Amino acid sequence: MTCFARAVETGSFSAAARDIGIGQPNVSRYVAALEEHLQTRLLNRSTRKLVLTPEGERYYAEVRRILDAVAESEMSLRENVKPSGLLRVACPTALSHMYVMPLVPAFLQRYPEMELDLQIGDRFVNLLDEGAELAIRIGHLENSALRARRIGSFRRVCVASKEYLAKRGMPRIPGDLTDHDCVIYTLLASGATWRFKDAEVPVSGRIRVNSPEAARALVNAGLGIGQGPAWLFEEGLKSGRLQIILNEFAAPPVPMQIVYAANRLVPKRAIVFMDFIAEEFSKIPQLNTWGARSKRSSP
């Protein structure tokens, strides 16, 4: 059952074998034996991926509950055991580089028996299907199959270089953005629509990117107006190269959360990671901006 569940969650027999610590042929053999025992096919194999059959989907849901119940029973007898094992955490790119990765050495030093697999990227990771136990998410939680722990918040701002504003002029209201070049981050949940306090404005521009760091670089280069976390543009704002615009129209601060599956056991290694990140993020002013406001935009 463990081999089958991890093959589903990691996407391949070889990845499941690495995760469990046995050879890939053994994983394949165990899953085949399980299918023979049940007299039904659970997985369709191809050279590229594993796909659950309808019977496999139903069986996986039951297996996951059984394995979690076993783990919970064992954990109840080992309350004082130190956190250990591999923890997979999906993290947004820019937030990871700026704030999560600098904390990793201290975390691993505090918990020497743990390993971290940071899955860094801005693609949406489905915790129920892809094997990560935790994910750091930006924005409000909408999936009822998940639970969340708040770890901070930040202001989303509109910025532009002074060079760009000198050429194109200063937008006075959010609607003015339709007459400007905007650098569009394509993985934003709202797409090419920017949210403000009382409005949502469709924007356009000559360049689109799927990386927050690339968007920042392009805004710094004067190629358009950008929108994103204030901390993403902090260096340019401090140097005076960038300027916050439309600040009086800014939407409320955006929450950051660590999410986990509601119907699964939360292992001790995941709990201590959430505690650690929440504690460290609480010390960073840029990540705790509920109700905070910067000075209004300069004319």
Side-chain angles (χ1 to χ4, degrees):
M1 285 183 178
T2 298
C3 287
F4 168 67
R6 293 311 293 148
V8 171
E9 292 161 355
T10 61
S12 71
F13 288 156
S14 57
R18 289 192 298 270
D19 181 65
I20 299 169
I22 62 176
Q24 185 269 339
N26 284 334
V27 173
S28 180
R29 180 164 55 86
Y30 290 147
V31 173
L34 186 61
E35 290 179 320
E36 183 178 354
H37 171 70
L38 297 171
Q39 296 187 345
T40 188
R41 181 173 288 277
L42 301 173
L43 293 165
N44 288 319
R45 289 86 157 162
S46 74
T47 56
R48 297 175 57 186
K49 62 181 179 179
L50 301 174
V51 179
L52 281 167
T53 64
E55 294 79 11
E57 289 181 3
R58 294 197 299 271
Y59 188 67
Y60 170 73
E62 295 298 328
V63 162
R64 188 69 266 170
R65 280 194 285 270
I66 291 168
L67 294 177
D68 285 346
V70 171
E72 188 172 11
S73 297
E74 292 180 349
M75 185 178 293
S76 68
L77 300 175
R78 297 186 296 173
E79 283 296 325
N80 296 323
V81 173
K82 293 180 180 178
S84 63
L86 176 65
L87 178 67
R88 292 184 176 85
V89 184
C91 308
T93 306
L95 185 71
S96 296
H97 290 165
M98 293 190 69
Y99 295 113
V100 178
M101 289 178 63
L103 298 174
V104 168
F107 177 79
L108 293 178
Q109 185 176 16
R110 184 181 297 185
Y111 301 105
E113 297 181 31
M114 282 189 59
E115 302 172 39
L116 277 180
D117 178 356
L118 294 182
Q119 301 177 357
I120 297 174
D122 295 316
R123 180 183 67 85
F124 179 84
V125 173
N126 188 328
L127 291 181
L128 303 178
D129 297 332
E130 299 188 41
E133 291 170 289
L134 302 174
I136 298 178
R137 295 267 172 86
I138 293 171
H140 296 280
L141 181 65
E142 296 179 358
N143 189 337
S144 61
L146 300 177
R147 294 289 181 269
R149 175 166 178 180
R150 177 73 55 82
I151 56 173
S153 62
F154 62 81
R155 292 190 312 121
R156 182 171 281 143
V157 296
C158 273
V159 299
S161 70
K162 293 184 176 179
E163 175 188 3
Y164 175 88
L165 294 173
K167 291 179 180 178
R168 300 291 300 272
M170 172 74 70
R172 298 297 175 181
I173 60 173
D176 290 345
L177 292 175
T178 58
D179 297 322
H180 283 264
D181 280 327
C182 295
V183 177
I184 298 173
Y185 171 51
T186 57
L187 297 182
L188 187 68
S190 59
T193 299
W194 288 359
R195 292 172 178 164
F196 294 88
K197 181 169 55 178
D198 298 312
E200 294 187 353
V201 178
V203 296
S204 62
R206 299 173 62 195
I207 188 163
R208 298 167 176 253
V209 292
N210 64 354
S211 159
E213 291 93 340
R216 176 180 60 198
L218 294 166
V219 172
N220 277 320
L223 293 182
I225 297 172
Q227 188 185 61
W231 46 262
L232 181 65
F233 303 105
E234 187 173 10
E235 183 177 346
L237 292 169
K238 284 184 176 179
S239 71
R241 179 169 183 77
L242 299 182
Q243 179 176 334
I244 294 178
I245 62 175
L246 302 172
N247 197 41
E248 58 268 43
F249 302 99
V254 180
M256 294 184 302
Q257 302 163 105
I258 298 182
V259 301
Y260 53 94
N263 61 348
R264 292 186 190 171
L265 172 73
V266 182
K268 193 168 185 178
R269 59 182 177 270
I271 293 172
V272 297
F273 181 84
M274 289 191 283
D275 289 344
F276 179 85
I277 292 296
E279 176 187 354
E280 294 301 319
F281 274 26
S282 70
K283 303 172 186 177
I284 303 173
Q286 296 91 330
L287 303 183
N288 293 273
T289 57
W290 283 116
R293 287 287 186 191
S294 294
K295 294 180 181 179
R296 294 168 66 91
S297 307
S298 301

